[in-house]
Amino acid sequence: TLFAGSKAPAGWRPKISSTVKGANDDIRVACIGFNGKGKTHIAGFKKLPGVRVVALCDVDQTILDKNAKKFSGDEKVATYTDARYIIDDPNIDAITIATPNHWHSLLAIWGCQAGKDVYVEKPVCQTIWEGRQLVIAKDKYNRIV
């Protein structure tokens, strides 16, 4: 792994998706963390044609339940309290990260490793080294960050 001592369980690796999107397919997005800035991610994606928010993730179940209720009708949204399930889901094309700052780089790297494009709030990293690892992952996995 790129981060020694990360909080992922021993041996856990993100699953790499080989799904190829067609020109007419919706982009399926998951929002990780949305008690603050992440709410604007959800609101913005809801306005974009061809983009669907399909999953929400927050460690606080109360916040998660409250925001999931805002999706209705045909808008089905999965909910998770553990971001690793979003990273592993091959039906998610892109993730947005608006978690506490110390999670930004690691989640973004895991997203790249799993074949997802990533939008991450600033600060992208806590150290120059962390930021460099994200750039390496972006290049290695040919992702948009």
Side-chain angles (χ1 to χ4, degrees):
T1 63
L2 293 172
F3 283 87
S6 69
K7 295 186 184 209
W12 179 82
R13 294 240 189 242
K15 295 177 186 170
I16 297 175
S17 173
S18 61
T19 306
V20 177
K21 301 295 296 168
N24 295 320
D25 292 333
D26 284 348
I27 298 170
R28 299 160 301 187
V29 178
C31 298
I32 304 172
F34 48 83
N35 194 33
K37 186 69 173 169
K39 288 178 186 175
T40 62
H41 297 182
I42 295 168
F45 287 128
K46 281 186 161 190
K47 295 176 185 176
L48 291 175
V51 177
R52 287 187 297 130
V53 176
V54 296
L56 301 175
C57 179
D58 199 285
V59 296
D60 187 324
Q61 188 71 52
T62 304
I63 292 168
L64 187 59
D65 292 342
K66 178 181 170 185
N67 285 279
K69 287 179 185 176
K70 295 177 183 175
F71 289 80
S72 61
D74 292 337
E75 295 179 308
K76 282 189 112 178
V77 65
T79 58
Y80 302 95
T81 56
D82 187 333
R84 292 171 294 181
Y85 292 109
I86 283 186
I87 301 296
D88 284 345
D89 189 337
N91 296 314
I92 295 172
D93 304 310
I95 60 173
T96 70
I97 302 166
T99 59
N101 298 346
H102 62 276
W103 277 103
H104 289 185
S105 291
L106 185 57
L107 287 171
I109 290 167
W110 284 348
C112 290
Q113 288 173 329
K116 296 171 184 358
D117 293 320
V118 177
Y119 175 84
V120 58
E121 282 292 329
K122 62 183 181 184
V124 171
C125 58
Q126 298 283 318
T127 66
I128 294 171
W129 182 85
E130 271 185 352
R132 191 73 209 134
Q133 300 314 302
L134 178 52
V135 171
I136 290 168
K138 174 199 75 73
D139 291 342
K140 179 178 180 180
Y141 299 103
N142 194 29
R143 303 316 317 156
I144 298 170
V145 176

